[in-house]
Amino acid sequence: MPASDHPQWIIDARRAVGDRIRVRRLHLDMTQETLAHAAGVDRSTIQRMEAGSEMKLSHLLHVAHALRVHVTDLLHG
Protein backbone atom coordinates (compact mmCIF):
# COMPACT_ATOMS: atom_id res chain seq x y z
CA MET A 1 0.00 0.00 0.00
CA PRO A 2 1.54 3.32 -1.01
CA ALA A 3 2.04 5.81 1.83
CA SER A 4 -0.58 8.09 0.31
CA ASP A 5 -3.17 5.34 0.78
CA HIS A 6 -2.70 5.28 4.55
CA PRO A 7 -5.04 7.26 6.77
CA GLN A 8 -3.54 10.34 8.36
CA TRP A 9 -3.51 8.77 11.83
CA ILE A 10 -1.11 6.07 10.62
CA ILE A 11 1.20 8.64 9.02
CA ASP A 12 1.11 10.69 12.24
CA ALA A 13 1.82 7.61 14.39
CA ARG A 14 4.83 6.65 12.27
CA ARG A 15 6.21 10.18 12.57
CA ALA A 16 5.72 10.06 16.35
CA VAL A 17 7.63 6.76 16.55
CA GLY A 18 10.43 8.29 14.46
CA ASP A 19 10.53 11.32 16.75
CA ARG A 20 10.77 9.08 19.83
CA ILE A 21 13.64 7.14 18.24
CA ARG A 22 15.50 10.37 17.46
CA VAL A 23 14.92 11.86 20.93
CA ARG A 24 16.12 8.69 22.67
CA ARG A 25 19.13 8.39 20.35
CA LEU A 26 20.15 11.98 21.05
CA HIS A 27 19.55 11.50 24.78
CA LEU A 28 22.06 8.64 24.65
CA ASP A 29 24.43 10.85 22.62
CA MET A 30 24.39 8.42 19.70
CA THR A 31 24.75 9.22 16.03
CA GLN A 32 22.56 7.53 13.47
CA GLU A 33 25.62 5.52 12.46
CA THR A 34 26.27 4.38 16.03
CA LEU A 35 22.65 3.38 16.52
CA ALA A 36 22.60 1.57 13.19
CA HIS A 37 25.68 -0.42 14.15
CA ALA A 38 24.27 -1.27 17.59
CA ALA A 39 20.94 -2.34 16.06
CA GLY A 40 22.51 -4.27 13.18
CA VAL A 41 20.83 -2.23 10.46
CA ASP A 42 21.99 0.27 7.84
CA ARG A 43 22.19 3.97 8.69
CA SER A 44 19.67 4.59 5.92
CA THR A 45 17.21 2.40 7.85
CA ILE A 46 17.62 4.64 10.90
CA GLN A 47 17.17 7.73 8.69
CA ARG A 48 13.95 6.32 7.24
CA MET A 49 12.63 5.30 10.65
CA GLU A 50 13.30 8.73 12.13
CA ALA A 51 11.59 10.30 9.12
CA GLY A 52 8.48 8.25 9.82
CA SER A 53 8.68 5.93 6.84
CA GLU A 54 7.28 2.42 6.92
CA MET A 55 9.39 0.24 9.17
CA LYS A 56 9.74 -3.46 9.70
CA LEU A 57 8.81 -4.75 13.12
CA SER A 58 12.12 -6.59 13.32
CA HIS A 59 14.01 -3.32 12.73
CA LEU A 60 11.93 -1.57 15.37
CA LEU A 61 12.66 -4.35 17.87
CA HIS A 62 16.40 -4.19 17.16
CA VAL A 63 16.43 -0.40 17.49
CA ALA A 64 14.48 -0.50 20.75
CA HIS A 65 16.98 -3.01 22.14
CA ALA A 66 19.92 -0.85 21.03
CA LEU A 67 18.29 2.19 22.67
CA ARG A 68 17.71 0.16 25.84
CA VAL A 69 13.96 0.72 25.88
CA HIS A 70 10.97 -1.56 25.44
CA VAL A 71 9.44 -1.34 22.00
CA THR A 72 6.18 -0.11 23.53
CA ASP A 73 8.06 2.98 24.77
CA LEU A 74 8.73 3.84 21.14
CA LEU A 75 5.20 3.03 20.05
CA HIS A 76 3.32 4.82 22.81
CA GLY A 77 5.78 7.28 24.26
Side-chain angles (χ1 to χ4, degrees):
M1 174 182 293
S4 60
D5 291 342
H6 288 298
Q8 188 62 43
W9 68 269
I10 290 179
I11 295 166
D12 293 343
R14 285 196 323 234
R15 286 185 186 141
V17 169
D19 289 344
R20 288 183 200 106
I21 290 169
R22 182 175 37 261
V23 166
R24 179 66 180 168
R25 174 178 62 78
L26 293 173
H27 176 77
L28 294 174
D29 199 28
M30 298 174 85
T31 64
Q32 287 183 340
E33 187 69 35
T34 304
L35 176 55
H37 179 73
V41 299
D42 292 331
R43 186 180 63 79
S44 61
T45 298
I46 301 300
Q47 283 180 308
R48 286 191 305 275
M49 292 175 82
E50 288 186 358
S53 296
E54 297 239 5
M55 53 191 87
K56 291 183 176 182
L57 178 58
S58 59
H59 291 165
L60 187 58
L61 291 168
H62 282 290
V63 167
H65 182 76
L67 292 172
R68 301 188 301 264
V69 295
H70 194 275
V71 69
T72 57
D73 293 331
L74 298 177
L75 293 172
H76 297 292

